[in-house]
Amino acid sequence: MEMLSGAEMVVRSLQDEGIEHIFGYPGGSVLDIYDAIFQSDKIEHYLVRHEQAAVHMADAYSRSTGKVGCVLVTAGPGATNCITGIATAYMDSIPLVVLSGQVPTFWIGDDAFQETDMIGVSRPVVKHSFSCRTAEEIPMAIKKAFYIASTGRPGPVVIELPKDVQNPLNKFPYEYPESVSLRSYNPTLSGHKGQIKRAVAALLSARKPVLYVGGGAIIANASKQVLELAEKLNLPVTNTLMGLGAFPGEHKQFIGMLGMHGNYEANKSMHNADLIFSCGARFDDRVTNNVEKFCPHAKIMHIDIDPTSISKNIHADLPIVGSVEVVLQQMLDLIDETQATNDSESINAWWDQINEWRAKDCLAYKTSETHIKPQQVIQCLYKVTKGDAIVTSDVGQHQMVAAQYYPFKEPRQWINSGGAGTMGFGLPAAMGCKIAFPDRPVVCVTGDGSIQMNIQELSTCMQYNIPLVILLLNNRSLGMVKQWQKMFYGGRQSHSYMDSVPDFVKLSEAYNHIGIKVDKIEELEPALTRAFELKDRVVFVDVAIDPEEHVYPMQIKSGSMEDMYLSKTEKTDA
Amino acid sequence: MRRIIAVLLENESGALSRVVGLFSQRAYNIESLTVSPTNDKTLSRMTITTDVVNHAELEQMMKQLHKLVDVLRVTELTQSAHVERELLLVKVRTVGSEAREEVKRTCDIYRGQIVDITQNLYTIQLTGAGAKLDAFIATMDDASEIVEVVRSGVCGIARGDKALRA
Ligand SMILES: Cc1ncc(C[n+]2csc(CCOP(=O)(O)OP(=O)(O)O)c2C)c(N)n1
Ligand SMILES: [Mg+2]
């Protein structure tokens, strides 16, 4: 058998797991692993400028490809710098394996230099974690980590590797396990047969159904089944912020995103539905509004691979534990077998009602002579990219506007931090996507606040020539915070205004990128066109937008799903 | 509602902290928690007593426990026939032979055992359900001066054929 050191085992195990890209930052406790990486020609390592960015890159690499993202960092501050990234992935169920160094085993507990209990610090935001105390444990720990990260409800897994365990002088027999099984961990994939029957019966007899599709449908690669079911039964479909792209954004049965900044027709349909069929969506508080007033007429059906997500916030009348893809396929097979269908007359009547709500055109907005509106920017982006770009975003008003005005055609095209709402996600996320898809246009829609949370990654872009477009909706403020202060805090703008926004064009140029400033609406389309034509450069497009614009619709706090502000002056009558 | 949850989990480092972390992270209440390896040394058996507001909370708690990668089985004991036991060690100070007699008598009534004696101190061992131990401590408090009390927390097992096994 081949003899390898612990450090070599780490690199070989990753290779044998099929890992091609890894994101990280070196330091004392992982130098042996970095030395082994130096000697490997199979793994491409990207050196970031801050470990948080490495995790976001690996995360978005995973979101855009469906593969597991992989990170390597040193002990102590290297490891703790990853926590925000790990928490971000955890909240959105993204599979990651994060390898962190640790002080030698014989120093653990002695407050040695750069000793941090990474297993303890990361515990609330990981799916699982391993600490390797001998080199021989490494291959199995890595095998298990990838297996756990990517199966069931995916999530991040941390592996801690003490320095002595990596020692290049000590060699051990190496063999990468072919498979792994854990007696304590067996995720359920297919749905209970009886529940499938009941679910089909309930769906077919519903008169006002809504298909409520979340990020779980994307993770499970269930878009095909969602589309087939929706079209077969003529069901209205709404997506969560995390589910955008799971159902085609321009499909006539798509009624828009739902929730806090959801479409009028989507929220109205939910509230008035008689059946809500959740496919991989978890009734998040950003969707339900006040749970006491949530969808009073609806029977709730819920497919989720994670049993804890079912009946956590909203009681499910018909729970089905399983993968969205497998369960929907089971339902489709049963529908085909029985040739059963729903009552098209009542469904048509339901559509008449929905179309009335649609006619309100809740996303219409007023343009202005003096200011560029953020909605115009996203619509222009859609036009220039023909709707084909991978769009990552940061967190704030610009994120909501991107979600509302860029109808995503396919899953894994919209990459955002939905569960954690992590500002600073957008730029490294775009880099991770571009590395995964070098031939596709990738754009990061960002805000003047968010971009500055990981702006140092412009340097990483320079080093590896990762060409992408950064589209900054610059409102010279923490817009989303300001919107809340305007609406709920008597307009007191406590620390939401940024007095010193840098010159982003000069900043981009300092990193040898191209910066374009846009102040007038007529400059917008030419600027974006040029940005996407410059295929081998990072182009930073800084668009001055109307700082007073708010995001609407917006649900009214403590109300039901259908209670919404529709503009600064209009709200639904509750 | 007081509930007793029995958990079978991998006997691995970190497993206990994940369970305890889960309870504090989700603001669940722990009244007592006991854990020890089973006859199969690769497994640990844990008994958790908790106070839940309703059935939904209990169900969510059990699902969350089960979701932990190390956890093999989770069951709730109080909803069917079960045995629960707790071990009490109590050290009391007595002065005078009358008081000593009183302590000895109470101890016999409760079927406790005196496991250590010094000139003025008795250490008594008693097992039973929590309420019995509470009553014993109250009685002892009258009969003597309690110096220290240590309780193991509840261990529980289902009666009859039911078993929690890998
Ligand atoms: C790391 C982090 N800190 C704080 C927040 C709270 N927060 C949410 S949106 C927002 C403002 C974002 O400003 P900007 O990036 O300029 O976007 P805009 O809303 O102006 O489009 C803030 C501070 C957050 N989501 N993430
Ligand atoms: Mg801003």
Side-chain angles (χ1 to χ4, degrees):
Chain A
M1 213 180 281
E2 203 175 352
M3 302 295 283
L4 296 180
S5 72
E8 289 165 337
M9 282 192 195
V10 172
V11 176
R12 273 295 295 279
S13 298
L14 294 178
Q15 277 179 22
D16 289 344
E17 189 60 42
I19 298 305
E20 293 165 15
H21 300 102
I22 170 166
F23 309 91
Y25 209 93
S29 70
V30 285
L31 284 179
D32 294 321
I33 299 175
Y34 269 88
D35 198 44
I37 286 184
F38 189 85
Q39 296 173 52
S40 156
D41 51 6
K42 297 232 170 60
I43 291 187
E44 222 168 311
H45 175 276
Y46 288 86
L47 174 71
V48 290
R49 299 298 178 267
H50 187 296
E51 288 89 349
Q52 182 189 344
V55 186
H56 291 328
M57 281 174 83
D59 169 320
Y61 180 87
S62 171
R63 290 181 202 234
S64 59
T65 60
K67 297 181 198 166
V68 181
C70 191
V71 175
L72 172 61
V73 293
T74 193
T80 55
N81 269 351
C82 292
I83 295 297
T84 302
I86 296 173
T88 302
Y90 182 72
M91 291 299 281
D92 291 341
S93 313
I94 306 304
L96 293 183
V97 171
V98 178
L99 305 160
S100 90
Q102 181 54 289
V103 302
T105 50
F106 45 83
W107 281 351
I108 288 178
D110 296 351
D111 299 322
F113 175 64
Q114 293 197 330
E115 177 178 359
T116 300
D117 173 15
M118 180 57 173
I119 299 292
V121 170
S122 65
R123 203 210 63 241
V125 291
V126 296
K127 184 170 175 184
H128 199 61
S129 45
F130 295 93
S131 180
C132 294
R133 296 303 166 106
T134 63
E136 290 106 313
E137 293 168 40
I138 291 173
M140 189 45 107
I142 291 180
K143 183 82 199 172
K144 282 184 182 170
F146 278 91
Y147 172 64
I148 291 169
S150 60
T151 51
R153 180 178 179 175
V157 176
V158 162
I159 306 180
E160 187 182 73
L161 297 156
K163 174 135 191 178
D164 54 329
V165 169
Q166 307 163 29
N167 190 343
L169 299 177
N170 301 334
K171 308 262 181 181
F172 302 91
Y174 169 81
E175 191 177 19
Y176 196 61
E178 267 181 25
S179 64
V180 60
S181 81
L182 296 164
R183 61 180 171 179
S184 61
Y185 173 78
N186 293 295
T188 308
L189 288 180
S190 54
H192 182 274
K193 291 234 172 66
Q195 290 298 82
I196 301 280
K197 259 193 202 157
R198 281 184 279 274
V200 167
L203 191 58
L204 294 180
S205 60
R207 305 168 66 85
K208 299 174 176 183
V210 175
L211 212 52
Y212 156 46
V213 179
I218 293 179
I219 293 169
N221 298 315
S223 298
K224 185 175 146 273
Q225 285 78 4
V226 170
L227 184 67
E228 195 181 332
L229 185 70
E231 287 187 339
K232 196 183 276 285
L233 301 177
N234 194 18
L235 306 171
V237 182
T238 179
N239 282 339
T240 66
L241 178 66
M242 288 308 298
L244 292 174
F247 191 76
E250 289 189 314
H251 196 287
K252 65 180 195 317
Q253 284 167 243
F254 186 55
I255 58 174
M257 180 171 78
L258 83 173
M260 181 172 275
H261 292 296
N263 279 7
Y264 179 75
E265 56 267 36
N267 287 344
K268 277 292 219 186
S269 301
M270 286 289 284
H271 186 81
N272 294 285
D274 70 349
L275 178 88
I276 289 168
F277 185 14
S278 164
C279 301
R282 59 187 174 87
F283 299 86
D284 184 86
D285 53 79
R286 287 302 190 262
V287 163
T288 59
N289 213 7
N290 184 349
V291 291
E292 305 290 331
K293 298 179 185 168
F294 181 75
C295 304
H297 319 290
K299 184 183 172 94
I300 308 288
M301 298 204 316
H302 187 175
I303 312 176
D304 209 297
I305 200 155
D306 174 8
T308 69
S309 288
I310 298 177
S311 295
K312 181 175 61 185
N313 300 335
I314 299 290
H315 174 77
D317 302 296
L318 218 160
I320 311 172
V321 176
S323 142
V324 178
E325 187 206 13
V326 178
V327 171
L328 286 185
Q329 193 57 54
Q330 287 174 290
M331 290 177 65
L332 283 165
D333 291 347
L334 186 61
I335 292 171
D336 281 348
E337 226 173 82
T338 54
Q339 298 275 322
T341 183
N342 53 354
D343 173 27
S344 58
E345 219 166 286
S346 51
I347 297 291
N348 287 339
W350 179 223
W351 271 114
D352 289 343
Q353 171 65 76
I354 293 171
N355 286 330
E356 231 171 82
W357 291 324
R358 246 183 192 168
K360 183 144 192 101
D361 196 8
C362 69
L363 294 182
Y365 59 94
K366 285 201 194 72
T367 54
S368 124
E369 295 278 301
T370 48
H371 287 104
I372 303 175
K373 295 287 181 178
Q375 300 91 329
Q376 290 177 295
V377 183
I378 301 300
Q379 285 176 329
C380 181
L381 174 68
Y382 186 79
K383 187 177 164 201
V384 168
T385 57
K386 301 187 181 65
D388 290 329
I390 296 179
V391 181
T392 75
S393 99
D394 268 300
V395 174
Q397 291 180 319
H398 62 275
Q399 173 191 29
M400 291 302 131
V401 176
Q404 291 173 325
Y405 291 86
Y406 198 109
F408 295 95
K409 293 179 183 172
E410 7 170 293
R412 306 190 184 280
Q413 196 190 347
W414 164 241
I415 310 289
N416 88 133
S417 163
T422 304
M423 290 170 68
F425 176 79
L427 173 57
M431 292 158 65
C433 294
K434 189 70 192 183
I435 287 164
F437 295 98
D439 299 328
R440 284 188 67 175
V442 176
V443 54
C444 163
V445 174
T446 186
D448 43 289
S450 297
I451 191 66
Q452 295 189 73
M453 284 211 182
N454 266 321
I455 191 109
Q456 76 287 345
E457 296 310 315
L458 287 175
S459 171
T460 310
C461 290
M462 172 162 72
Q463 179 174 352
Y464 298 99
N465 187 26
I466 307 169
L468 38 91
V469 175
I470 297 165
L471 178 54
L472 170 61
L473 274 55
N474 191 341
N475 51 15
R476 276 86 60 211
S477 55
L478 303 177
M480 189 55 96
V481 171
K482 191 170 104 178
Q483 173 170 349
W484 281 59
Q485 291 170 336
K486 284 249 156 120
M487 293 174 75
F488 314 122
Y489 291 88
R492 291 180 297 281
Q493 287 183 45
S494 180
H495 302 275
S496 57
Y497 178 75
M498 306 235 284
D499 288 315
S500 53
V501 180
D503 181 333
F504 288 107
V505 170
K506 278 193 194 149
L507 188 69
S508 309
E509 286 167 0
Y511 289 105
N512 203 25
H513 302 317
I514 294 170
I516 307 176
K517 181 122 184 56
V518 174
D519 293 304
K520 298 192 193 69
I521 187 70
E522 56 274 16
E523 298 164 358
L524 181 63
E525 193 173 328
L528 280 178
T529 306
R530 178 156 170 254
F532 284 97
E533 278 168 4
L534 288 163
K535 289 191 194 315
D536 55 352
R537 299 296 294 273
V538 172
V539 186
F540 194 125
V541 186
D542 175 6
V543 186
I545 58 158
D546 184 353
E548 297 308 323
E549 190 67 24
H550 284 184
V551 181
Y552 293 109
M554 180 175 183
Q555 282 174 335
I556 299 169
K557 198 172 170 239
S558 320
S560 72
M561 279 206 75
E562 65 171 0
D563 300 328
M564 289 166 268
Y565 302 102
L566 297 168
S567 71
K568 283 185 186 170
T569 51
E570 192 191 352
K571 60 178 181 174
T572 53
D573 32 52
Chain B
M1 302 187 294
R2 179 176 173 272
R3 289 287 179 263
I4 303 176
I5 302 173
V7 183
L8 197 64
L9 69 169
E10 294 290 353
N11 179 14
E12 268 173 23
S13 73
L16 173 63
S17 71
R18 286 188 192 103
V19 172
V20 174
L22 169 70
F23 272 71
S24 65
Q25 190 179 340
R26 304 217 174 245
Y28 298 151
N29 165 287
I30 302 185
E31 269 173 15
S32 76
L33 184 154
T34 68
V35 61
S36 191
T38 66
N39 55 330
D40 174 350
K41 294 290 174 251
T42 66
L43 292 172
S44 290
R45 166 85 175 233
M46 192 179 272
T47 309
I48 303 169
T49 54
T50 180
D51 193 17
V52 293
V53 288
N54 54 32
H55 188 74
E57 192 192 4
L58 176 68
E59 198 178 291
Q60 181 63 212
M61 192 184 282
M62 290 174 62
K63 287 198 288 190
Q64 291 287 357
L65 278 166
H66 203 91
K67 185 174 166 180
L68 295 175
V69 169
D70 301 313
V71 169
L72 279 84
R73 303 268 180 273
V74 181
T75 184
E76 204 283 312
L77 296 173
T78 49
Q79 283 162 79
S80 44
H82 69 284
V83 181
E84 60 173 282
R85 289 289 179 271
E86 198 177 344
L87 170 69
L88 165 75
L89 295 174
V90 56
K91 191 177 283 180
V92 299
R93 192 188 309 278
T94 53
V95 186
S97 58
E98 206 168 302
R100 282 174 172 245
E101 273 311 305
E102 175 68 19
V103 165
K104 178 81 178 62
R105 247 196 325 275
T106 313
C107 198
D108 288 343
I109 293 168
Y110 279 88
R111 291 198 227 158
Q113 287 168 294
I114 295 166
V115 292
D116 188 42
I117 306 179
T118 69
Q119 219 172 9
N120 295 320
L121 295 171
Y122 275 149
T123 302
I124 304 157
Q125 161 190 317
L126 183 69
T127 54
K132 174 179 160 185
L133 305 193
D134 292 343
F136 180 73
I137 291 169
T139 315
M140 275 300 161
D141 206 16
D142 292 339
S144 64
E145 181 201 338
I146 293 181
V147 179
E148 62 176 315
V149 167
V150 53
R151 295 172 69 149
S152 64
V154 173
C155 277
I157 197 163
R159 286 190 187 273
D161 294 339
K162 272 198 193 166
L164 196 64
R165 303 165 59 135

